[in-house]
Amino acid sequence: MQIIQYSLPMETLELTSAKEILQDAANWLEKAKCAQLPLGVPGDYLATSLDRAEELDDQAKESIREIRNVLMQIINCMKSLGPYCAYVAGTELLKDLRFMLNQGIFPARSVPVQVATSALEIFNRNLELNFHVNDIESGHVHQLCELITPRVSSLLDTLKQCWDSAPAKTTDEDTKAFCGIIFVKERINAWALYKLLTLIASCPDGPYAFLKCGFCVGQLTESGSPDSAGDKPSISWKQLKSTLENFREGRSNILVATEVVEEGFDVGQCNLIVRFDLPSGFRSYIQSKGRARMMASKFIIMVERSEYGKFVDGDLAQYQKLEADMQRLCDSRKAPTETERDEHFADEEYPPFCPEGTTLRITVNTSLNILQRYCNTLPNDNMTTCTTYFRVKKLGQESFVCTAYLPLSAAIKQPVTGETVKRDKLAKKVVALKCCELLYGMNELDDNMLPKSEDSWHKDVIDFIGNHERERVEDKEAPQPGTRRRLQTYSKLVPEFCTSSRDPSTTHYFYAIRLVLKGHLSADRDDRFEYDQSVSVGFLSRASLPALPTWPIYIQLREFTVYTDFVETVTLTAGQLHAVKKFHYTVFNEVIGFATVVEGLSSLEENISDTLFTVPTKLVGKTYSLDWDALTRLITPNGFLTTLPSEDERRLLGIRPLDYENAVVASDYNGQVERFHVRQVRRELTPHSMVKPFEETTAELVRRKYGVTVQIPDQPLLEVRHCAKQLNFLRPKPKDAESPDRNHITVIAELFRILPLTNALYVKCRLLPTILHRMQSLCNTLQLYNILRCKSSVGSAVGAVEQWKELENDHRFRGLYSSSPRGSPASSVNFEMSPTAENTPPVQRMESEESPDPSTLDSDSDGSLNGFDMVNGVKTPQSLGLFFEKQMNKLFYAQMHSRIRKRKNDSKLLSQSQSPLRPTLEALKKAEWMRAPEGCQSSLTPPPFRLDSEFRTDPRTTPFPEIASLLTAITTAKAGDNFDLERMETMGDSFLKLTTCLYLYGKYPNYHEGRLDHLKAMQISNYNLYRLAREIGLGPFVLNEVLEPLINFTPPGYDALPQTHRSMVSVNDKGLADAMEALIGVVLMECGCGSAMKFMTGLGLKVELSGGVAVGSGRTGKALLRDDPGVAEELRQLISGLDVFEEHIGYKFRQPAYLLQAFTHSSFYQNRITDCYQRLEFIGDAILDFMVTRYLFSGTNRWLSPGELTDLRSALVNNKTFSLLAVQNNFHSHIKYNSPKIFALIRKYVEEARTENPNVIPISNDMLHFGMVEDDKKEKFSGYERAEDPKTLGDIFESVAGAIYLDSGCSLDAVWTVYYNMMKERIEFCLEHCPKNPVRVLYEYEGTNDVVFQPLEKLSNSKVRVTVDVKGKGSFQGIGNNVKAAKCSAAKEALRCLGHPAPTW
């Protein structure tokens, strides 16, 4: 132990003057027995007469005493720490006092607060003028020398010496075994000292840069972010835990604390303990000394020099003697027997609680601590603190009884009354002990008599999720399982018809690939190659191809539907089979280009097996046949030479124009190999024709540029276009629409070699990788279809599908392609159109019947049908150029009104063209549509859809989703396909959240919201969905890469090398989770809610509660917690006035207790007949999220893009929207709470709302209930600089939805009927304007490089502030509960100030 002496600071005139300012105010407050003066009283407060003491009540006296004590603490801070620390403490106190004045809730405090505020303002101004405390810069220690006391200087010297002498932890000298605690008596002094040390340590090159400080006191507040501990003199429970954890793990090495850390907290081992103030007694001395547990640790006591002898000879000597006596007794003491232990505890004031079968016990002295620790584990918001309220009643002389009221979210719902004891403090401990005993019996305390943590109720988690060992990654820096960063590879699946066959038979299945034109993007005269139905390709397969849906491909500016028609079985001779193999090899190597790409492929030709071979086909009459002539021509040796013929060869070459008609030519005369389609032979042109604008002949131009001399002067020229290098035809290429004729050029015939295939066959062969890739993915999806159908039993009673639904265009390209322009070659190919079913594929007819001529229709002069184009005989809105991402970003807002009109037209088309998915279900819905759900007023507008009936259908008789839909659900956006899973993932995510919440609510009726949230997060987490996806083997089915045939496609019959792009596909873990949600969304939208729940159960998700209350069942539970005779009267009093609210929303509660529960905040202890609203909010949030999301998928909104869905969902389902709707519908007038902070926040929000809408009902002061709140427990106000969206309002809006759901017999229709009427105007507004993420809008308007978001700034009220800098236009700030909210707020402020009208949420 070491004792350090310090001197008192020298008294100066400036210091004395500053202290006298506060001392005079404190003296006035001491005498102020009547400070209840009007705020407008003129004159000097200090000269006010104080002769009306009898008018003050106990509350006012306590308020005055608190304010005076704080002023005295500032004076003490000045004496102990110096002017700078006093200025810091005074400034913080001044903020609190000003805030209290602005609130005006406690009139009795107004005058004392004004006196204290005035005194502090003068005090701070004095320090600024005399000591320049406001000019101190970060880390400048020399500026602080005159502003701190000798006591603080001695402390700094001590810390520096201890750091210098501390041993190194490792070889790194900068890392030392240095960790200590500085014990300070006063809380305000501890905080000011912490701020001083933090400032000193902020200088990176200063002598005290080694300090990493933390701050810890015992007075906990109701809110505070863990990362903002130390911003204020008080901290929250979360901040306290975070501070202690940082100290234990070495992120801070000095802890400035009050005596609260002396015992009861695990702060880890320390090697330095400094008593900045003397110990208050032996207990304080021995417990603080005991914190120095490390070897060679130091225990230092700081003593004022004049008090040194008195302390050493007096208190310290007594402490050391007692310590020695205790040490001697402990060394010789034997462990007590069980009888001695029982006798010892029997001597206590009250016997402890000792559970049977354990030696652990809870005593009256530890009961309060354990009870508060339990309350700290309960869910709460930032407005209130979960704590137990005690009401002590004096029965007589030395006779007290106490009643404890636990938070409403606790397991104990009713008040607990203890036994009668002699002292009031003991009465609190006794009832706390009784509460602990009850909690233990309810399994809320673990075997160590401590509150259960999330990890301690593992049994319930296993019961819900299952006993699965979580995947672990040893490297903490490596991506964790279930995250987006973790990428895993899976072997690509090869369908059966593409696998090798050892069957010696020479019989093959012959399939023809047929392309049917579906529409044009624009008129293009060069389209004969794709339209030529007489020439195509097909394939021979050992195995039969399963029935597959048709699908679209996109060639140049046209959309085609692909059909795979079975023709016949054929038997090949050995020679024919060899020729077929040769053709297959030549097509993929020479035509497609695999000859130049060997990465990932083994030697090609010799590895071709008898599996699947591509062959040329021709149309003879009405049927296809194998084109042996074309096959023979293509496999001609040297048929694909591309070198420029020599002059001798060209001189002897006989140019026959017919040889070049419809041919593909190639040459390398210009230094690189190029292929061209011959469009026509220009007999009127020769090499000696003039070339514009060069003013020379073609022959002269070729000789000048390429050094090639033309040998045949009278040959015709060829008009050609470049052969496209594109091999992926899965998706439209809008850029091709810019200039359809851009590749048309004229060349000399003798410079080119003719390739052994026609234009049409060349184009069809280039389609093979795309077609085969799609066939393989559909076959794999069919395999997944069978797996999922078997697992879920959905559709088990439905027969096999005879014809699959066509694979549709994505929402981005729907209606993009109009029908064939008049005069195009397609007019010779006739189709049979279905006028009623949009999704029915056209059936090609080879007869001579004509397709409808657009000229015969009633059309406008521009050739369109009153603003519509014809696609398969169905009217679709013109939408050219509006569905591509770049154009969408630029034209979104300019085209908004036309898009809304388009959606309305689409809804008419859907109602006319779509056939019912399940006639029985639709009939049931229609029958229910005519009547309003029970409890709902008939005057309410019916919502666009009902869902209860979907939960009552039999999943076994409901057809399982088609493979086209399943393929969409397993295709990620990264695949770059014509569709992706994002829309269905949104729907599946919302439904999974809903069903999980409803299941947990019914499964665990005694769990509070915090535990329910934890269990919900475990089920819907990306990791759990990824785990389930791995169990069903979903990984290999997921499509997650863009088709690049020359890189990641393996032609049938070839061998892909292992661990290459051709044999493996990479999918991140979150991608698998997204696919699971998308599959749920697909089943939901195609089969209904009941089938989707059965499907999720088959996947391993817990969503169906056995024997529980099902959606739409009509059965309800009980809202009341007890059923005694007095409940009815209590309920009547508590629900008084709520009938007006019921009339307003249009719903009459059968059990008004549900409505009471929905409006009861956890701080409202007067209500002991229902629970608080947290559990109702838990299910209400999920219900509203699902109903809004489902609405966005219905009717006119069916084809919203994923981006639009996300923006609309975010704009409609958030606390801002719900708070606004709650105020507009007068929810705020009925909330029951005991929180001044909530009251102030809601009142400010309502006042701001009234400036925009005067119809909003103002909040009245009598809404604040203080009937059971002790004076010393009332919340203090701090840190709310402006009106914000109170989370309580959003929570109440959700909890009422949960109450209606339960009261109506679990009817989603009842909830949606009520809430649709409250939300429809907001929904329609958002659909019309489609608010976007303000951050994204700001980037779009100002440019990514001109917008910079600064690092967040953590505020003392647990919020964060973010500043955004817009280049050349200024900086803008936003505040929110988290970084995302703050960034949105800052972006919205920037958009507002910069005058951008874009709607944002």
Side-chain angles (χ1 to χ4, degrees):
M1 185 178 64
Q2 179 181 356
I3 298 179
I4 296 179
Q5 303 180 56
Y6 61 87
S7 302
L8 292 174
M10 294 182 60
E11 285 290 336
T12 63
L13 181 62
E14 292 82 2
L15 288 174
T16 303
S17 174
K19 285 188 289 187
E20 287 178 351
I21 296 171
L22 297 183
Q23 189 64 56
D24 290 343
N27 293 339
W28 183 88
L29 290 171
E30 177 67 21
K31 299 176 182 178
K33 303 301 182 183
C34 180
Q36 202 168 12
L37 301 175
L39 295 182
V41 171
D44 188 356
Y45 284 125
L46 301 183
T48 303
S49 175
L50 305 173
D51 55 357
R52 292 157 45 203
E54 65 280 3
E55 297 184 13
L56 286 179
D57 56 14
D58 292 340
Q59 180 179 343
K61 293 179 181 178
E62 178 65 23
S63 300
I64 296 174
R65 183 166 59 251
E66 288 178 357
I67 296 173
R68 179 187 179 280
N69 290 342
V70 174
L71 293 182
M72 295 304 297
Q73 288 177 7
I74 300 297
I75 296 175
N76 181 50
C77 181
M78 182 94 159
K79 296 178 179 178
S80 301
L81 305 177
Y84 177 77
C85 292
Y87 178 76
V88 171
T91 302
E92 186 61 32
L93 176 60
L94 191 58
K95 290 180 182 179
D96 290 344
L97 294 177
R98 286 172 176 169
F99 186 80
M100 290 170 62
L101 280 176
N102 292 335
Q103 299 307 312
I105 298 177
F106 303 106
R109 288 188 180 187
S110 299
V111 171
V113 167
Q114 285 196 351
V115 170
T117 301
S118 301
L120 281 172
E121 288 174 348
I122 300 173
F123 174 77
N124 284 353
R125 183 59 177 166
N126 189 303
L127 295 181
E128 291 173 1
L129 292 174
N130 294 327
F131 300 97
H132 306 287
V133 289
N134 55 328
D135 297 331
I136 301 299
E137 296 181 3
S138 174
H140 289 61
V141 180
H142 63 278
Q143 296 180 339
L144 292 170
C145 293
E146 297 180 357
L147 304 179
I148 58 177
T149 61
R151 186 179 183 182
V152 177
S153 299
S154 300
L155 174 65
L156 293 174
D157 294 340
T158 301
L159 294 176
K160 186 66 172 67
Q161 293 172 7
C162 294
W163 168 260
D164 293 339
S165 61
K169 282 187 178 180
T170 62
T171 55
D172 184 4
E173 287 296 331
D174 292 334
T175 306
K176 294 187 176 183
F178 176 78
C179 57
I181 302 176
I182 303 174
F183 283 105
V184 184
K185 184 178 181 180
E186 298 288 344
R187 177 167 56 93
I188 193 70
N189 286 3
W191 178 74
L193 181 60
Y194 159 77
K195 300 295 286 187
L196 175 67
L197 295 179
T198 302
L199 176 67
I200 293 174
S202 62
C203 182
D205 299 327
Y208 302 101
F210 63 89
L211 292 176
K212 294 178 289 184
C213 300
F215 171 67
C216 182
V217 294
Q219 183 170 347
L220 304 183
T221 59
E222 65 277 2
S223 63
S225 169
D227 298 324
S228 61
D231 289 348
K232 283 188 170 293
S234 56
I235 60 177
S236 67
W237 174 254
K238 293 181 180 179
Q239 290 173 332
L240 177 62
K241 292 195 297 185
S242 176
T243 298
L244 296 178
E245 182 180 356
N246 290 337
F247 185 71
R248 286 193 296 267
E249 296 183 1
R251 291 191 288 270
S252 60
N253 54 20
I254 286 294
L255 191 63
V256 183
T258 57
E259 294 182 352
V260 68
V261 184
E262 291 178 356
E263 63 173 336
F265 291 107
D266 179 16
V267 296
Q269 295 184 341
C270 304
N271 60 2
L272 175 63
I273 300 296
V274 179
R275 293 283 329 188
F276 191 76
D277 292 297
L278 295 178
S280 58
F282 174 72
R283 180 177 179 177
S284 175
Y285 164 81
I286 201 66
Q287 287 180 341
S288 59
K289 183 179 180 181
R291 288 297 185 183
R293 302 172 185 171
M294 295 180 64
M295 296 295 294
S297 57
K298 298 180 180 179
F299 178 59
I300 299 175
I301 300 178
M302 301 188 68
V303 183
E304 193 269 316
R305 194 176 305 277
S306 62
E307 297 290 330
Y308 175 78
K310 179 180 178 181
F311 172 72
V312 171
D313 297 336
D315 291 342
L316 182 58
Q318 186 179 3
Y319 297 159
Q320 290 176 334
K321 181 178 183 302
L322 287 174
E323 181 182 10
D325 293 341
M326 291 180 63
Q327 184 67 44
R328 185 174 61 256
L329 290 174
C330 291
D331 290 342
S332 60
R333 182 174 179 267
K334 296 180 180 180
T337 64
E338 185 174 353
T339 303
E340 291 174 335
R341 272 201 313 271
D342 293 339
E343 291 177 353
H344 170 76
F345 286 111
D347 292 337
E348 290 189 348
E349 294 179 292
Y350 196 84
F353 167 60
C354 306
E356 295 182 5
T358 177
T359 59
L360 297 174
R361 62 191 66 211
I362 303 177
T363 67
V364 289
N365 292 323
T366 60
S367 59
L368 285 172
N369 185 19
I370 293 176
L371 185 59
Q372 183 56 45
R373 293 181 68 172
Y374 168 75
C375 291
N376 291 333
T377 64
L378 300 176
N380 68 312
D381 50 34
N382 290 333
M383 303 296 107
T384 54
T385 300
C386 281
T387 187
T388 303
Y389 285 88
F390 297 96
R391 172 177 286 178
V392 180
K393 185 177 181 181
K394 187 175 181 180
L395 303 178
Q397 189 68 21
E398 295 187 351
S399 179
F400 297 87
V401 65
C402 180
T403 301
Y405 298 83
L406 272 71
L408 291 177
S409 54
I412 302 174
K413 303 297 183 182
Q414 299 304 321
V416 179
T417 302
E419 297 181 9
T420 303
V421 293
K422 295 182 179 181
R423 293 182 290 111
D424 56 350
K425 291 185 177 180
L426 180 60
K428 283 187 176 182
K429 296 179 180 180
V430 167
V431 75
L433 182 63
K434 187 173 181 179
C435 291
C436 292
E437 182 177 354
L438 293 174
L439 290 173
Y440 183 82
M442 295 177 173
N443 201 28
E444 294 293 323
L445 302 182
D446 59 21
D447 294 337
N448 295 320
M449 296 297 172
L450 295 175
K452 282 191 172 183
S453 62
E454 292 180 354
D455 297 331
S456 61
W457 40 288
H458 188 60
K459 181 180 179 181
D460 294 334
V461 174
I462 292 177
D463 178 59
F464 177 52
I465 298 296
N467 192 9
H468 305 284
E469 184 176 355
R470 186 180 179 90
E471 291 185 36
R472 300 189 181 278
V473 179
E474 297 299 332
D475 186 3
K476 292 184 179 181
E477 301 297 327
Q480 296 300 307
T483 62
R484 189 186 300 273
R485 292 179 55 225
R486 189 176 187 233
L487 201 65
Q488 299 193 75
T489 56
Y490 303 90
S491 297
K492 289 184 178 179
L493 296 176
V494 181
E496 181 182 355
F497 77 94
C498 288
T499 56
S500 300
S501 173
R502 301 189 179 278
D503 184 1
S505 172
T506 58
T507 301
H508 293 76
Y509 296 90
F510 174 34
Y511 291 88
I513 298 174
R514 179 163 53 95
L515 303 182
V516 176
L517 176 66
K518 191 171 184 179
H520 267 255
L521 183 61
S522 64
D524 179 9
R525 66 179 185 275
D526 190 20
D527 48 19
R528 72 195 91 181
F529 312 140
E530 297 85 356
Y531 288 138
D532 190 352
Q533 296 286 335
S534 63
V535 178
S536 187
V537 290
F539 56 89
L540 300 175
S541 175
R542 287 283 191 180
S544 62
L545 182 69
L548 297 176
T550 60
W551 67 88
I553 61 172
Y554 304 88
I555 308 173
Q556 295 292 331
L557 308 178
R558 292 163 297 283
E559 177 183 358
F560 292 87
T561 300
V562 179
Y563 294 82
T564 54
D565 298 333
F566 172 70
V567 181
E568 60 180 345
T569 58
V570 297
T571 302
L572 303 179
T573 65
Q576 289 175 326
L577 185 58
H578 177 75
V580 168
K581 289 183 178 181
K582 186 68 174 177
F583 176 87
H584 185 87
Y585 165 76
T586 305
V587 165
F588 279 98
N589 283 272
E590 301 297 341
V591 179
I592 298 176
F594 278 87
T596 59
V597 181
V598 296
E599 181 183 358
L601 287 173
S602 59
S603 182
L604 295 178
E605 186 174 8
E606 55 271 19
N607 277 296
I608 297 180
S609 57
D610 296 344
T611 299
L612 182 147
F613 305 113
T614 54
V615 292
T617 65
K618 61 182 179 182
L619 184 63
V620 179
K622 298 180 181 180
T623 61
Y624 284 97
S625 62
L626 201 152
D627 191 349
W628 289 104
D629 293 336
L631 185 148
T632 304
R633 283 196 305 271
L634 190 132
I635 63 177
T636 302
N638 300 323
F640 283 86
L641 288 177
T642 56
T643 57
L644 176 68
S646 65
E647 291 186 359
D648 294 337
E649 289 179 302
R650 286 187 279 117
R651 193 179 300 112
L652 299 175
L653 182 65
I655 302 295
R656 294 187 302 173
L658 291 178
D659 293 342
Y660 289 91
E661 294 286 352
N662 198 28
V664 179
V665 298
S667 179
D668 63 349
Y669 73 93
N670 61 354
Q672 58 182 357
V673 177
E674 291 186 310
R675 294 178 180 177
F676 296 90
H677 293 293
V678 177
R679 301 183 71 248
Q680 60 178 318
V681 179
R682 302 290 297 273
R683 291 178 173 84
E684 75 278 10
L685 300 178
T686 68
H688 296 290
S689 300
M690 297 298 293
V691 180
K692 296 180 181 180
F694 298 104
E695 297 183 356
E696 55 184 340
T697 65
T698 304
E700 292 171 346
L701 177 64
V702 171
R703 183 170 60 251
R704 176 174 60 82
K705 292 186 67 176
Y706 307 112
V708 178
T709 303
V710 176
Q711 302 300 317
I712 305 175
D714 57 349
Q715 61 181 307
L717 299 185
L718 307 176
E719 182 179 325
V720 299
R721 79 173 191 194
H722 282 87
C723 292
K725 296 181 179 180
Q726 176 187 355
L727 288 174
N728 184 342
F729 299 91
L730 294 175
R731 193 170 176 173
K733 302 290 183 182
K735 62 182 180 181
D736 293 338
E738 296 173 1
S739 177
D741 299 326
R742 66 189 185 280
N743 292 328
H744 297 174
I745 60 176
T746 304
V747 298
I748 300 173
E750 72 173 62
L751 303 181
F752 292 84
R753 296 183 185 271
I754 302 176
L755 301 184
L757 73 171
T758 64
N759 277 322
L761 184 58
Y762 182 89
V763 171
K764 304 295 175 57
C765 287
R766 298 279 293 183
L767 300 177
L768 282 171
T770 298
I771 293 174
L772 291 173
H773 167 77
R774 181 65 83 210
M775 287 172 55
Q776 291 177 2
S777 61
L778 287 172
C779 287
N780 293 336
T781 307
L782 179 58
Q783 180 182 348
L784 180 64
Y785 169 92
N786 293 325
I787 294 173
L788 296 178
R789 186 183 180 194
C790 180
K791 276 184 169 292
S792 64
S793 73
V794 175
S796 59
V798 180
V801 178
E802 296 180 359
Q803 182 178 358
W804 296 104
K805 181 181 67 174
E806 179 184 0
L807 191 61
E808 296 180 341
N809 291 334
D810 188 52
H811 54 89
R812 289 164 292 183
F813 311 111
R814 183 169 303 279
L816 179 65
Y817 291 86
S818 62
S819 57
S820 304
R822 282 171 286 174
S824 69
S827 61
S828 61
V829 182
N830 302 317
F831 303 89
E832 181 182 81
M833 303 295 183
S834 171
T836 58
E838 179 184 351
N839 298 329
T840 304
V843 180
Q844 186 174 3
R845 297 293 187 188
M846 298 305 169
E847 292 84 356
S848 59
E849 58 185 6
E850 298 286 341
S851 58
D853 186 353
S855 64
T856 65
L857 301 175
D858 183 14
S859 62
D860 296 332
S861 58
D862 60 356
S864 64
L865 185 63
N866 296 323
F868 291 82
D869 290 328
M870 295 294 294
V871 179
N872 290 351
V874 180
K875 297 180 183 180
T876 57
Q878 292 177 343
S879 51
L880 303 185
L882 293 179
F883 288 84
F884 304 103
E885 294 175 357
K886 292 183 179 178
Q887 292 143 318
M888 189 188 304
N889 290 336
K890 294 179 180 179
L891 302 178
F892 186 85
Y893 296 104
Q895 301 293 335
M896 183 59 62
H897 294 291
S898 63
R899 297 185 66 185
I900 298 302
R901 290 195 297 271
K902 171 192 174 303
R903 287 174 184 151
K904 294 179 180 178
N905 292 328
D906 274 345
S907 65
K908 298 177 182 178
L909 295 177
L910 290 172
S911 63
Q912 297 172 1
S913 63
Q914 281 195 318
S915 59
L917 181 63
R918 295 180 303 282
T920 56
L921 176 59
E922 297 300 328
L924 183 59
K925 286 184 176 181
K926 186 175 181 180
E928 292 189 350
W929 192 267
M930 302 304 295
R931 65 178 186 272
E934 187 172 355
C936 297
Q937 295 179 1
S938 58
S939 59
L940 294 176
T941 303
F945 59 87
R946 299 271 183 90
L947 289 178
D948 287 352
S949 55
E950 288 192 13
F951 287 88
R952 300 196 295 270
T953 56
D954 187 357
R956 297 173 301 172
T957 60
T958 304
F960 199 76
E962 306 233 356
I963 60 176
S965 301
L966 295 182
L967 180 61
T968 301
I970 59 175
T971 303
T972 68
K974 191 177 179 181
D977 212 324
N978 190 29
F979 43 78
D980 56 58
L981 56 76
E982 291 186 356
R983 295 179 75 250
M984 286 301 161
E985 177 213 344
T986 302
M987 191 70 254
D989 169 72
S990 181
F991 189 65
L992 174 60
K993 175 183 174 182
L994 169 71
T995 51
T996 300
C997 289
L998 296 181
Y999 174 87
L1000 291 171
Y1001 185 91
K1003 177 71 174 178
Y1004 304 104
N1006 297 321
Y1007 276 15
H1008 57 66
E1009 182 198 16
R1011 289 188 178 177
L1012 296 178
D1013 269 327
H1014 178 72
L1015 290 176
K1016 179 192 73 172
M1018 294 189 69
Q1019 169 141 294
I1020 70 175
S1021 67
N1022 288 329
Y1023 173 79
N1024 188 54
L1025 293 174
Y1026 150 76
R1027 178 184 63 80
L1028 295 174
R1030 286 293 297 264
E1031 289 182 0
I1032 65 174
L1034 185 62
F1037 293 97
V1038 175
L1039 302 178
N1040 192 50
E1041 60 183 8
V1042 178
L1043 173 63
E1044 297 180 89
L1046 299 181
I1047 297 176
N1048 54 23
F1049 174 75
T1050 303
Y1054 296 134
D1055 293 332
L1057 297 179
Q1059 303 301 319
T1060 64
H1061 289 293
R1062 300 187 190 278
S1063 61
M1064 308 294 291
V1065 60
S1066 297
V1067 185
N1068 61 50
D1069 290 357
K1070 188 180 184 301
L1072 286 185
D1074 293 344
M1076 290 285 284
E1077 292 176 332
L1079 288 171
I1080 295 171
V1082 165
V1083 178
L1084 171 69
M1085 298 305 295
E1086 296 203 4
C1087 305
C1089 299
S1091 298
M1093 292 184 68
K1094 181 65 68 176
F1095 176 74
M1096 289 190 287
T1097 301
L1099 294 179
L1101 294 165
K1102 295 285 188 69
V1103 293
E1104 291 185 303
L1105 186 61
S1106 177
V1109 179
V1111 175
S1113 65
R1115 292 180 294 166
T1116 61
K1118 285 187 177 181
L1120 293 173
L1121 296 177
R1122 65 180 204 267
D1123 191 17
D1124 55 68
V1127 168
E1129 178 61 23
E1130 288 186 55
L1131 179 62
R1132 187 189 64 79
Q1133 295 178 2
L1134 290 171
I1135 65 173
S1136 176
L1138 290 180
D1139 54 339
V1140 178
F1141 176 78
E1142 291 178 299
E1143 182 68 23
H1144 174 77
I1145 65 173
Y1147 181 84
K1148 182 65 177 178
F1149 278 83
R1150 291 181 288 180
Q1151 295 191 57
Y1154 276 124
L1155 185 57
L1156 172 62
Q1157 179 182 349
F1159 279 120
T1160 300
H1161 188 266
S1162 60
S1163 64
F1164 187 68
Y1165 295 91
Q1166 289 90 329
N1167 178 14
R1168 287 292 161 175
I1169 61 175
T1170 71
D1171 202 346
C1172 65
Y1173 68 65
Q1174 291 177 350
R1175 281 175 55 86
L1176 292 180
E1177 176 215 342
F1178 175 74
I1179 59 173
D1181 169 52
I1183 291 172
L1184 293 181
D1185 177 80
F1186 171 69
M1187 301 306 289
V1188 170
T1189 304
R1190 182 65 181 263
Y1191 177 82
L1192 297 177
F1193 271 77
S1194 63
T1196 60
N1197 316 308
R1198 184 178 180 185
W1199 304 119
L1200 290 170
S1201 69
E1204 289 174 323
L1205 278 173
T1206 301
D1207 286 334
L1208 285 170
R1209 189 184 180 196
S1210 300
L1212 292 169
V1213 185
N1214 60 65
N1215 189 69
K1216 182 181 292 294
T1217 297
F1218 288 171
S1219 296
L1220 178 63
L1221 292 173
V1223 169
Q1224 290 176 348
N1225 290 279
N1226 199 25
F1227 281 66
H1228 61 283
S1229 297
H1230 305 285
I1231 308 175
K1232 301 180 183 299
Y1233 50 82
N1234 282 337
S1235 171
K1237 178 171 275 190
I1238 294 180
F1239 172 79
L1241 198 60
I1242 293 180
R1243 187 178 66 170
K1244 194 170 185 179
Y1245 180 82
V1246 170
E1247 289 174 355
E1248 188 172 286
R1250 280 176 56 80
T1251 61
E1252 300 179 4
N1253 183 5
N1255 295 326
V1256 173
I1257 299 176
I1259 188 171
S1260 57
N1261 288 337
D1262 59 2
M1263 284 186 60
L1264 191 60
H1265 303 276
F1266 284 116
M1268 300 177 60
V1269 184
E1270 298 179 10
D1271 293 337
D1272 59 346
K1273 295 293 185 179
K1274 291 178 182 176
E1275 291 86 347
K1276 290 184 172 60
F1277 298 87
S1278 60
Y1280 283 87
E1281 295 83 3
R1282 59 182 181 82
E1284 55 184 308
D1285 309 312
K1287 185 177 183 301
T1288 304
L1289 287 177
D1291 292 345
I1292 293 295
F1293 192 76
E1294 294 168 342
S1295 66
V1296 172
I1300 295 175
Y1301 171 77
L1302 296 175
D1303 182 77
S1304 62
C1306 301
S1307 172
L1308 293 177
D1309 292 343
V1311 179
W1312 186 229
T1313 299
V1314 174
Y1315 274 75
Y1316 174 72
N1317 282 266
M1318 287 191 285
M1319 298 182 68
K1320 63 181 179 180
E1321 291 184 4
R1322 179 73 176 179
I1323 293 174
E1324 291 171 0
F1325 173 84
C1326 290
L1327 284 172
E1328 182 177 355
H1329 298 88
C1330 198
K1332 301 173 70 176
N1333 186 314
V1335 177
R1336 189 169 75 245
V1337 173
L1338 184 61
Y1339 278 128
E1340 291 174 0
Y1341 272 110
E1342 300 296 337
T1344 305
N1345 296 329
D1346 294 338
V1347 176
V1348 179
F1349 284 91
Q1350 301 297 335
L1352 64 90
E1353 176 187 356
K1354 294 169 183 174
L1355 304 178
S1356 58
N1357 57 354
S1358 77
K1359 298 185 180 299
V1360 296
R1361 178 164 49 211
V1362 170
T1363 301
V1364 58
D1365 297 328
V1366 180
K1367 187 176 181 180
K1369 298 182 180 180
S1371 299
F1372 310 92
Q1373 291 184 341
I1375 298 175
N1377 292 323
N1378 49 52
V1379 179
K1380 181 179 178 180
K1383 288 183 68 174
C1384 289
S1385 178
K1388 290 184 72 172
E1389 180 67 11
L1391 290 170
R1392 184 186 66 81
C1393 295
L1394 296 177
H1396 295 312
T1400 59
W1401 46 263

